[in-house]
Amino acid sequence: MSNQVPLHEGLFTWPAAKPQLLGSRCNQCAEATFPAQPDCRSCGSRQTTIVELGDRGILWTWTIQTFMPKQPYRSDETPETFRPYGVGYVEMPGGVRVEARLQANSPDQLQIGMPMQLDIIPFRTDKNGNQKMTFSFSAAQGV
Amino acid sequence: MNVAIIGIGLHRFGRSPNMSGMQQGASAVRAALADAGLSWADMQFAYGGSQDGGNADALVNELGLTGLQFTNIWNGCATGGSSLHAAYSSIKSGEYDVGVVVGFDKHPRGAFNPRPKEWGLDEWYGETGLMLTTQFFALKTQRYMHDHGITEDALIRVSEKAFTNGSLTPTAWRQQALSYEEIANSAMVSDPLRKYMFCSPAEGGAALIICNADKAHQYCSNPLFLKAAAVRTRHYGSFEVFAPSQAMEVADAPTVTASKAAFEQAGIGPEDVDVMQLQDTDSGTEIMHMAENGFCEHGEQEKLLLEGATGIHGRLPINTDGGCLANGEPVGASGLRQVYEVCVQLRGEGGARQVPNEPKVGYTHVYGAPGISGVNIITK
């Protein structure tokens, strides 16, 4: 069994029983952003706090990536194995819309306003055989 | 101090396999100089930009080492708008009387592949396949259609009009008109946008000779006047390309603020414009830009397109040369091609694509990553 490691530190709590997306909130104007950043793009303050943005949200807009992107895209796929993927912005309870890959990849599976849930999924394997994990959303279960 | 445009030049967009991007830029400058009846040695300043064609100021190696001030400009797809704004300011300030603005490019085939670091983003954003301009325009269009009752019919009609206009434009890259059905049945690229609803990265060059309006008649009998040049970046909350997150409160796009600033500078309103070029990276953005630039209300586009109002003979002639859809997008040159086409129309030299009734006021709008707009207003 290979190790699973986050593709990038600080994007989500993981491993965790219920992983959460991480962002930052401005101590001054309370605007949230993803990923977390030390300064606030709304008011320019340098005082922000890392916060959990949640693990469920509402789909605000979506599309489907039908062709395999060129670099900087870096997956294990080849043009032959490439599988189209959904992309959307998901409105999070933390007060920000986050752009993410969606596991659904057909228009009939996606609708603006549908409830979504966060999944932490393997994205690619690095040269040491570690699985790089990223965040993604799928239709919420059990709502 | 008023600003005049006294020469326009284009190196045809599309593919020029035997020419570098730089050579295509030089070709456009030579054409603009010939149009103005001036020589390179008469140029007191130059502003130029290119994404993949090299440093614009290296053009002096082609055109002559005259010692002029030459400043490179880079502002993504809005490079042309920013270059022209810089030239406008140079004349307005009284520092110079005559100079050139040039843009050129030569992109490889296929979608652009931006580097996250250059846009202040971490590698994961690009690696996981979120950093595509095509995706963003699809995401924005999808939400816009939902909010304003726009249907696929409108998207198809924008492309149909673009390729019809391209077929009437000898310099266009895509010169074949496409039927409604061909567009409607073309492959889905990024839902809701299909293959024939996207422009392609391309090659080409465009140049303008800009002059102090008080001296314009010394050089030419038919100067046009650059009444406004405004460039604006995004506000917090506007929904823009290359954004890993989006604020809950959606703010006006930079296009809205650039457009308002330009109309204010010119002292006119959208109702006074006779011919316009609006950034049409894809058919969805043309629809959104119609309203963002003040030419209609949000949602009104569906009806306007159905009526043919944005065609050459309509009341809002948009992208008379086929726009980016029919000309492709060499990033550095694209914004200046828009100005070139508006000048052709105001001079009455549009031939088969000429807007009737002697248009007197033209408008150009360019949009680029990561949320920048440039607007120009040109009059007879």
Side-chain angles (χ1 to χ4, degrees), chain A residues 31 63 66 71 89 99 124, chain B residues 113 125 127 189 191 236 243:
Chain A
E31 281 292 311
T63 189
T66 60
Q71 280 182 339
Y89 279 82
E99 187 181 11
R124 67 177 162 85
Chain B
N113 49 336
Y125 186 66
E127 285 184 15
V189 174
D191 210 288
Y236 180 71

Side-chain angles (χ1 to χ4, degrees), chain B residues 45-186:
Chain B
F45 70 88
Y47 289 96
S50 177
Q51 174 174 301
D52 294 332
N55 296 331
D57 63 330
L59 275 175
V60 295
N61 294 329
E62 307 255 350
L63 295 164
L65 298 165
T66 61
L68 85 172
Q69 172 191 313
F70 199 132
T71 307
N72 295 341
I73 302 270
W74 172 241
N75 257 155
C77 298
T79 292
S82 293
S83 302
L84 186 52
H85 177 266
Y88 174 83
S89 300
S90 289
I91 301 283
K92 275 265 179 199
S93 72
E95 186 178 7
Y96 290 118
D97 284 331
V98 62
V100 61
V101 181
V102 56
F104 55 91
D105 244 311
K106 189 177 179 86
H107 305 299
R109 286 167 199 278
F112 291 118
N113 49 336
R115 287 185 283 270
K117 287 263 185 276
E118 289 178 6
W119 301 92
L121 296 163
D122 283 316
E123 295 297 336
W124 67 267
Y125 186 66
E127 285 184 15
T128 56
L130 300 176
M131 197 172 185
L132 285 92
T133 51
T134 44
Q135 243 173 35
F136 163 73
F137 291 121
L139 289 161
K140 188 172 175 187
T141 300
Q142 183 90 268
R143 182 70 204 187
Y144 192 86
M145 291 169 78
H146 174 269
D147 286 348
H148 300 290
I150 302 292
T151 70
E152 187 176 26
D153 179 72
L155 298 178
I156 297 165
R157 288 183 194 279
V158 169
S159 296
E160 194 184 14
K161 184 254 309 164
F163 294 111
T164 298
N165 293 356
S167 76
L168 303 172
T169 306
T171 54
W173 183 20
R174 315 277 191 203
Q175 299 213 352
Q176 194 171 349
L178 293 173
S179 71
Y180 186 98
E181 292 70 30
E182 281 174 292
I183 298 160
N185 295 324
S186 64

